[in-house]
Structure formats: C-alpha cells, structure tokens
Amino acid sequence: MKIIKLSAIDSTNSFLKEMAANSVIENFTIVVTDRQVKGRGQQGNSWVSEPYKNLIFSVFVRFSNVSVFDNKYLNLAVSLAVFDALLEENIPAIAIKWPNDILSANKKICGVLIENSLKGREIASSVIGIGLNVNQTVFPEYLKKASSLKLISQQDYNLDQLLKSIVLKLKDRIDLLTAKNFQALEADYLNVLYKKNIPTMFKDSKDVLFMGIIRGISKEGNLQIAIEDETILEFGLKEVSFL
C-alpha cells in the first residue's frame, strides 16, 4: 500500500479526490494526517479531532464491475473492515450504528465518509474517509457521545499499526464486494448492527417520537424499523435518530 503522510490538511478526502482527478494513482493509495482542520462527516457534518492523537485517513479504491445499485454493500464492507480491526484489538462491546458509525459501549469512536466517482451505472472508484478516536481522552462538551480506544481500554495505541490493520481488513472486505458475496457482507453486518431486534425509542425528521425495532437494511441502504403493528418503515440518512 502507498501511504502519503501529511502533517496537516484541510480534509484527507478532499486532498485524495483532487489527487485522483489530476493523476493516475495506485489502488489503495492512503492519505493520512496528524491534523485535519476541516474534517467532514456524513451529510455535511464536521469531524473534530485532537491533533496527533487520532487516526485520520482516506483510502482510494478503484473498482471494476461494481454497480451503483450495489453501493449499499460498499458501505457494509467499509463498516465491517473497521469493526474487524477493532475486534482484533479486543475493544469491548463494539457495534455498527447504521449506517457506518462504530460504537463501543454506546459511545461513538469512529465515523466513515464514502465519496464515489461514477462511470455510467458503475462505481469507478471511491475515496473512503475514516476518523477513529484513538489516544484522545478529552472531548468538547457538545460531543457527549464520543469516546476513544484509550478511554475504553486505558492504554495507548500505535497509530501506524492500527492504520495498516484497518486497510488490510478493508482489502479483505472489498474482495467480498467485488466477488459479489453480498450475502456474507449483509449477514455479518446485521449480526453486529446496533439495537437490532431491540425495542428502541426513535425520533423522525418531524420530531415525532415512536417505539420501533430495527429489522434490517433495505436494498437501497435505508434503515428498516418495525413499528407496533409490525408495519416496516424505511428511513434514509437524517430521517430518523435514536433517543
């Protein structure tokens, strides 16, 4: 794997996207930084990270014969790669919160941002951004649900080793995707999906509270929630939240 290390950058995703647009780069090229000043998360959210303490990187992945209609499984593959790596580190009580946040004991430790480049009806390439809270122990007051590997395990971690572990797991999961082994990806994802089959209180985009049970993920990647009468409702990003 080719690793480009930067001391500081606005956004690793933005840097890698521009690099890919202006040159031919190797598959699984990685850009990692000690300090990201304009980190981006899902739906325009920002990603806040203390410099030199965490793992902030993006990976360029080139595809052939991956349909835009299979984008759901790309998301599953990336989420599972991070999960797999953290499982090997014996991080306790980890789960994937739909669509691709990684939690430990109900606290968020990792976020993912996937940006695709399309060619017709196929995904030509993706820039996969991953932000993992590693050795940071103090978070802003407004990040009440954030935690880190060090806070959870009370030990320091080597960022370079974690990076290599996650990327190797990512390669394995991407291999399943390109082999169209969608059933394995979905089964593994649903097996570790946060709050699956557990009665949970939700809030929809109109601030209406309701009790429901997560049953799965639709073909389009939406969250499927069964309500009291067993009707299955589907929700996209920002259309539902946990209470």
Side-chain angles (χ1 to χ4, degrees):
M1 60 185 76
K2 181 178 181 180
I3 301 176
I4 301 170
K5 294 188 176 183
L6 303 171
S7 59
I9 192 67
D10 286 353
S11 160
T12 57
N13 260 38
S14 297
F15 181 92
L16 193 50
K17 282 172 62 180
E18 184 175 351
M19 184 178 172
N22 294 314
S23 60
V24 177
I25 61 176
E26 293 179 25
N27 202 13
F28 284 93
T29 292
I30 302 158
V31 172
V32 60
T33 186
D34 295 318
R35 182 171 180 265
Q36 185 172 240
V37 295
K38 292 183 181 179
R40 294 182 292 120
Q42 292 282 2
Q43 297 286 293
N45 292 335
S46 60
W47 180 263
V48 179
S49 177
E50 184 178 344
Y52 308 103
K53 296 290 184 71
N54 303 311
L55 197 50
I56 305 165
F57 67 100
S58 297
V59 185
F60 174 82
V61 181
R62 186 178 292 107
F63 296 105
S64 61
N65 196 30
V66 174
S67 168
V68 294
F69 302 109
D70 297 333
N71 184 58
K72 162 189 173 178
Y73 300 103
L74 172 58
N75 179 64
L76 304 191
V78 174
S79 305
L80 285 166
V82 180
F83 180 94
D84 294 342
L86 296 182
L87 196 63
E88 281 196 351
E89 295 292 336
N90 297 314
I91 304 302
I94 52 175
I96 299 174
K97 180 183 175 185
W98 177 84
N100 49 28
D101 287 341
I102 310 298
L103 307 184
S104 174
N106 300 320
K107 294 280 191 175
K108 182 175 177 177
I109 55 176
C110 182
V112 172
L113 176 63
I114 304 171
E115 298 182 284
N116 297 325
S117 294
L118 307 181
K119 185 176 182 180
R121 293 189 176 184
E122 291 190 352
I123 300 174
S125 63
S126 295
V127 172
I128 300 165
I130 296 174
L132 176 64
N133 296 332
V134 182
N135 295 320
Q136 182 171 342
T137 57
V138 178
F139 291 89
E141 179 63 25
Y142 63 89
L143 295 178
K144 296 180 183 295
K145 296 182 179 180
S147 189
S148 69
L149 303 190
K150 184 173 182 178
L151 282 174
I152 293 161
S153 66
Q154 302 301 307
Q155 69 181 64
D156 286 303
Y157 290 84
N158 182 295
L159 298 182
D160 290 337
Q161 289 179 1
L162 271 176
L163 172 65
K164 291 178 181 178
S165 175
I166 293 172
V167 175
L168 288 174
K169 297 297 185 184
L170 180 62
K171 287 184 175 182
D172 290 341
R173 289 294 183 174
I174 292 295
D175 284 346
L176 289 177
L177 172 66
T178 54
K180 300 191 181 300
N181 196 342
F182 302 145
Q183 186 174 357
L185 289 170
E186 184 146 19
D188 288 349
Y189 182 91
L190 293 179
N191 191 47
V192 297
L193 182 60
Y194 180 67
K195 295 289 189 181
K196 183 175 181 287
N197 294 332
I198 298 173
T200 303
M201 187 67 72
F202 298 92
K203 181 171 69 173
D204 67 18
S205 57
K206 297 180 181 178
D207 291 333
V208 175
L209 303 181
F210 67 97
M211 182 67 72
I213 301 175
I214 294 174
R215 294 302 191 195
I217 309 297
S218 74
K219 186 177 180 180
E220 294 75 25
N222 294 328
L223 188 66
Q224 296 175 321
I225 301 176
I227 57 176
E228 189 173 5
D229 64 0
E230 289 303 317
T231 299
I232 302 291
L233 304 179
E234 293 190 9
F235 298 89
L237 280 173
K238 297 298 185 181
E239 292 179 351
V240 70
S241 59
F242 294 83
L243 288 185

